[in-house]
Amino acid sequence: MSRIGKNPVTIPSGVTVDVKGNNVTVKGKLGELSQEIGDISAVVEGEKITLERPSEAKVHKAQHGLYRSLIANMIQGVSEGFTKELELVGVGYRASNQGQKLDLALGFSHNIVIDLAPEIKVETVSEKGKNPIIKLSSFDKQLVGEVAAKIRSFRKPEPYKGKGIKFVGEELRRKAGKSA
């Protein structure tokens, strides 16, 4: 029994949900997203969308909750959007952007330049005395998470000094150094 799948998703004003066969398209002020939902059927009733599974098979139970969450994220994305913030911790670590190009100086012999997708808005904040912050925002939750993970993978935070790229608010597990 999928408790998540049984919950209806409320559709806020300004968002339109269109169901054609097994394809759900969500349009809002920030953009448009679509998702294929396989065997699960979606029904739009006024201001709510409910998902129903064809059988009690384990696969259908799993997909029921999955597609309900994906559709809820799509609706939240096109109405409010999603934001991830990354913090660069380390001496000489810098970030700057020109449009959709993100330029990272992470202690390597060269700068890392990333071309970001047009759906992502990037902003870099560098204040004196504070660590540089990269703000990624988009209406696609999956895309924001993927790009943030890619940027973090260039210099993961290490446990001894805490240097690297970390999410804002992330708690790092720190280790003690050599005891001499």
Side-chain angles (χ1 to χ4, degrees):
M1 171 161 98
S2 173
R3 293 185 185 149
I4 294 172
K6 286 185 176 181
N7 293 338
V9 181
T10 57
I11 303 169
S13 61
V15 175
T16 58
V17 178
D18 188 33
V19 180
K20 287 188 179 152
N22 63 351
N23 199 5
V24 177
T25 306
V26 179
K27 292 179 191 168
K29 63 181 180 187
L30 296 179
E32 178 181 341
L33 292 168
S34 65
Q35 175 71 44
E36 197 169 304
I37 56 172
D39 296 335
I40 309 297
S41 60
V43 180
V44 178
E45 300 162 345
E47 296 294 311
K48 294 190 181 204
I49 182 169
T50 54
L51 278 82
E52 296 160 0
R53 57 181 180 250
S55 73
E56 294 296 314
K58 196 171 186 179
V59 174
H60 290 144
K61 286 182 179 181
Q63 288 179 347
H64 192 205
L66 167 74
Y67 289 126
R68 189 262 178 212
S69 294
L70 290 177
I71 290 171
N73 287 340
M74 287 165 48
I75 289 171
Q76 185 184 346
V78 296
S79 61
E80 302 165 26
F82 294 100
T83 304
K84 290 259 188 195
E85 292 185 350
L86 297 155
E87 182 179 5
L88 281 67
V89 180
V91 177
Y93 287 13
R94 289 185 308 278
S96 63
N97 70 307
Q98 293 86 30
Q100 292 301 101
K101 283 190 186 291
L102 181 64
D103 188 7
L104 301 169
L106 300 174
F108 297 116
S109 61
H110 59 284
N111 285 4
I112 298 170
V113 180
I114 308 164
D115 286 322
L116 299 173
E119 295 92 20
I120 290 190
K121 293 178 185 70
V122 64
E123 181 187 346
T124 54
V125 179
S126 297
E127 294 180 25
K128 189 171 180 169
K130 293 187 177 177
N131 294 327
I133 292 177
I134 302 167
K135 293 181 183 177
L136 303 169
S137 58
S138 178
F139 56 87
D140 191 349
K141 186 176 188 177
Q142 215 169 344
L143 185 64
V144 169
E146 188 179 321
V147 171
K150 178 71 174 168
I151 292 170
R152 186 178 187 269
S153 72
F154 292 125
R155 211 34 131 181
K156 285 189 178 168
E158 54 97 18
Y160 296 102
K161 292 183 180 174
K163 291 171 57 174
I165 302 174
K166 65 176 194 138
F167 293 108
V168 171
E170 179 183 9
E171 291 290 324
L172 296 178
R173 183 165 173 256
R174 298 293 296 270
K175 293 183 178 178
K178 297 195 282 192
S179 56

